[in-house]
Amino acid sequence: MFVLIVGAGRVGSAVAKRALAAGHEVSVLDEDPLSHERLEDSDGQTWEDAGGLFTVGRALEVDSLVEAGVQRADVFIASTDGDNTNLTVAQIVQRRFGVDKVVCRVMDPARAAWYAEQGLHTISPTRHAIEMFEQALGLDG
Amino acid sequence: MYVIIVGAGKVGLNLARELIDKGHEVTLLESDRRRYLLVEPELGHVVHYGDATELWVLERAGVQRTDLVITVTGDDEDNMLVCQVAKEKYECERVIARVNNPRNLQHFKLLGIQPVVSATDLILRLIEHEVPRYGLVHLLALEEERLEIIELEVQSGAPAAGLRVSEVNLPEGSLVISVLRDGRGFVPTPETVVEAGDQVLLVLDAGLEEQITPVFSYAAD
């Protein structure tokens, strides 16, 4: 599979390394060139040496998406630190480039739920945290 | 009419003032605390502090009963997503969005957000109008209707110069709707003679302009 990940923060870079280790082709797009360092493995091997691709560019620039390989992506993950960027780029990739599997991080649980109803695969870390706290308090039963 | 304006910058604030003056009910949303505090003494309860991309903020502002949502923040993603949610979740029939970066125009279209207003585009069009390339100015493009209105200057020696409007060899799907001569404009009849130096306005089906330009320009060969 070809996996394109936009946003190489803690979440994006961890998923990228895991996907690469699992044998997938992985391309990462981030506007910050320094985010590249997060992709190095624990032995100091660079992301490229490990076989990964990295593009510096903005999520909403179509040229950057194309350079990062959106046209041949099987999976697209939007994991920047901005809900609005993630929701916008995920919809663009879904509608314009017809990528099969689009997954999008949305911190705001209300919008994560509504966009999920509209057919977008959203993941809301906030929602998960709320559930965990509820469980810890025994409020989930 | 009830209007929600998102973004209390210069555009949003002045828009709110104008609409209130015209007797409309307005709520202005601003997510920056400092900007909100600056505007609040003038507008009072009209301005709400909050991030309009959050659903509860829109709901508190009464998005369910609004006639129009206008998003004029400096952030295109915000403008796009607030309009999308207003239209699709809250069934607000009319939205207007500001586009800050003209390259994002395609994204607004893809998400079905229209009409949009882009200051950069408007200024570019004004520049084209003041400094026309090839003597042709796009005055209006009705994309849905696939119609355009253009303005051309008739060059001396052009095929159309000296002919009656009815004799000018125009492709089907185009029509001369107005002639500007010596600083005044008029609607021509089929008998009106087109003169070199006239500015002519034509309405045409989209895509015909390349056939029309040669009729009014002089090809020195």
Side-chain angles (χ1 to χ4, degrees):
Chain A
M1 269 194 321
F2 185 96
V3 183
L4 173 56
I5 298 176
V6 172
R10 290 187 197 92
V11 174
S13 60
V15 175
K17 285 191 270 192
R18 188 72 189 273
L20 192 71
H24 299 297
E25 233 185 311
V26 184
S27 172
V28 176
L29 174 69
D30 197 296
E31 62 184 355
D32 178 10
L34 294 178
S35 67
H36 183 261
E37 285 175 26
R38 281 199 206 91
L39 294 163
E40 276 177 20
D41 67 13
S42 44
D43 308 327
Q45 189 188 28
T46 68
W47 176 242
E48 279 79 9
D49 285 345
L53 300 167
F54 185 78
T55 309
V56 178
R58 287 195 58 239
L60 288 190
E61 294 287 351
V62 171
D63 290 350
S64 304
L65 288 170
V66 168
E67 192 186 334
V70 68
Q71 283 150 321
R72 60 191 183 99
D74 303 299
V75 179
F76 179 86
I77 292 173
S79 57
T80 77
D81 57 2
D83 276 6
N84 297 329
T85 302
N86 291 342
L87 283 168
T88 308
V89 71
Q91 292 186 86
I92 289 164
V93 165
Q94 195 173 45
R95 295 182 189 197
R96 177 161 175 179
F97 296 102
V99 176
D100 283 342
K101 194 171 174 66
V102 174
V103 191
C104 172
R105 175 166 77 161
V106 185
M107 299 304 281
D108 174 3
R111 279 199 298 169
W114 184 72
Y115 277 99
E117 283 170 27
Q118 313 309 307
L120 199 63
H121 186 161
T122 57
I123 290 176
S124 176
T126 315
R127 179 78 250 154
H128 290 303
I130 293 168
E131 282 163 12
M132 295 297 197
F133 278 117
E134 285 171 352
Q135 262 178 37
L137 290 169
L139 297 170
D140 55 324
Chain B
M1 181 166 74
Y2 179 45
V3 186
I4 294 178
I5 301 171
V6 178
K10 285 200 193 83
V11 178
L13 174 59
N14 286 305
L15 207 50
R17 284 180 181 143
E18 295 287 327
L19 288 170
I20 291 166
D21 261 8
K22 290 183 196 300
H24 298 293
E25 185 189 355
V26 174
T27 293
L28 182 59
L29 298 176
E30 174 56 49
S31 65
D32 181 87
R33 184 86 192 159
R34 278 172 48 200
R35 182 70 193 168
Y36 163 78
L37 290 173
L38 213 64
V39 171
E40 197 269 342
E42 177 187 337
L43 291 181
H45 67 276
V46 165
V47 58
H48 291 193
Y49 172 58
D51 180 349
T53 64
E54 298 220 29
L55 304 182
W56 67 271
V57 173
L58 278 182
E59 288 174 13
R60 186 186 60 182
V63 68
Q64 293 95 333
R65 67 175 182 91
T66 191
D67 302 295
L68 172 64
V69 171
I70 305 175
T71 58
V72 289
T73 78
D75 187 306
D76 283 344
E77 283 112 306
D78 285 21
N79 292 346
M80 227 179 295
L81 293 175
V82 171
C83 280
Q84 183 182 35
V85 163
K87 265 181 77 170
E88 293 177 19
K89 179 169 169 60
Y90 298 108
E91 293 167 355
C92 171
E93 281 177 21
R94 281 183 291 173
V95 298
I96 300 173
R98 169 186 180 188
V99 182
N100 295 277
N101 179 349
R103 277 143 93 179
N104 288 334
L105 202 60
Q106 49 181 332
H107 304 327
F108 282 82
K109 285 190 181 158
L110 191 69
L111 298 192
I113 310 302
Q114 60 171 354
V116 296
V117 180
S118 158
T120 319
D121 255 17
L122 289 176
I123 293 170
L124 278 176
R125 257 187 263 173
L126 279 177
I127 293 172
E128 263 196 30
H129 190 264
E130 298 302 319
V131 192
R133 280 182 308 165
Y134 322 119
L136 180 147
V137 182
H138 282 266
L139 295 179
L140 182 68
L142 300 166
E143 287 183 23
E144 296 291 302
E145 292 81 359
R146 308 258 311 136
L147 281 177
E148 291 175 9
I149 296 178
I150 61 169
E151 181 187 312
L152 292 152
E153 182 170 329
V154 182
Q155 296 176 356
S156 70
L163 293 185
R164 290 193 184 88
V165 168
S166 56
E167 297 164 340
V168 177
N169 185 19
L170 287 172
E172 207 175 302
S174 60
L175 185 68
V176 178
I177 52 172
S178 175
V179 175
L180 310 178
R181 182 180 297 161
D182 303 329
R184 62 175 275 275
F186 57 93
V187 177
T189 69
E191 300 308 312
T192 304
V193 176
V194 177
E195 294 176 8
D198 285 354
Q199 307 274 349
V200 290
L201 266 62
L202 291 101
V203 58
L204 47 137
D205 291 343
L208 281 182
E209 55 183 71
E210 279 185 22
Q211 294 176 52
I212 289 185
T213 320
V215 178
F216 296 97
S217 11
Y218 174 60
D221 51 10

